[in-house]
Amino acid sequence: MSEYQQRLREAVLAAPVVEAPAPWERVGRTCVPVGGLLGIGFAVDPGSGHDLVMVVSTGGHGLFDAITGEKIAREYDPDDEDATPDGVADLTCPGLGPVAGTRVRIAGLFGGGLHSGTGDGWCVEAVGPDWPAHRVLLSAGGGIRRGAHGESWWHVFHAHYSEFRAAGFSPSGRTLAVATSSDLSLWTRPPHGAP
């Protein structure tokens, strides 16, 4: 490991978990428990335009409103061929509730990925300096490589108690989601340019 890499590793290990900076707000006071979580994906509610988060777990599929955290649909017994995203080449599962009839790309245990950046400069990355634990870093303006913790990057989540599954933004850039094998954590912000 180079001296530069060692400095980055030490900075991440020393950084405490902090609240995400404005305009980001945590959805709910804590994470949403989801036992056996395998992966997550994003969709858009055709009625409200809200970001939706689809959760795939060993207990079925769930759909959450990303602004309120409310569970809006649940499928306890999906068809075997659609129960997990690894059954199809594009890692999708059928949507439910307001997005029934569509397929939602899922990222997590079986692969795939979520957006790692937004159009207006926010970035997220999951790092494992003390693997198998993962830390989720939210950044702006160059992040850890160009600034200090709490100024250009924030350690917003530490997955040390469950297996990390996925972290990323919705396509709109208004929602940040982190999933572990036991829970879902969400942050949201107003649309770019909104008060």
Side-chain angles (χ1 to χ4, degrees):
M1 185 179 296
S2 72
E3 183 179 325
Y4 172 72
Q5 291 169 322
Q6 185 62 34
R7 280 197 315 268
L8 288 179
R9 181 178 185 275
E10 289 170 4
V12 170
L13 287 171
V17 175
V18 296
E19 292 296 321
W24 293 99
E25 294 181 10
R26 183 136 185 148
V27 176
R29 294 184 312 151
T30 60
C31 57
V32 176
V34 181
L37 192 150
L38 302 172
I40 61 171
F42 287 104
V44 176
D45 186 315
S48 68
H50 289 185
D51 286 336
L52 302 174
V53 180
M54 182 166 163
V55 175
V56 174
S57 75
T58 56
H61 299 170
L63 192 67
F64 294 85
D65 183 304
I67 292 176
T68 65
E70 174 188 7
K71 186 186 316 176
I72 58 176
R74 182 78 165 93
E75 174 62 55
Y76 289 97
D77 192 23
D79 292 335
D80 285 343
E81 67 271 8
D82 285 324
T84 59
D86 59 324
V88 293
D90 62 356
L91 296 174
T92 62
C93 284
L96 59 155
V99 292
T102 65
R103 296 200 59 94
V104 179
R105 290 182 189 266
I106 304 297
L109 183 63
F110 299 108
L114 303 172
H115 290 257
S116 60
T118 67
D120 59 343
W122 290 98
C123 295
V124 65
E125 58 187 315
V127 297
D130 55 348
W131 186 89
H134 284 76
R135 296 157 193 260
V136 177
L137 310 179
L138 177 64
S139 64
I144 191 170
R145 292 157 190 82
R146 295 214 172 108
H149 181 254
E151 294 176 11
S152 66
W153 64 279
W154 298 263
H155 174 198
V156 296
F157 189 89
H158 191 173
H160 57 86
Y161 53 87
S162 293
E163 292 179 21
F164 175 78
R165 292 290 188 250
F169 297 105
S170 62
S172 72
R174 294 190 313 255
T175 301
L176 170 62
V178 177
T180 72
S181 60
S182 64
D183 52 57
L184 171 68
S185 295
L186 298 170
W187 292 262
T188 189
R189 65 180 177 140
H192 183 62

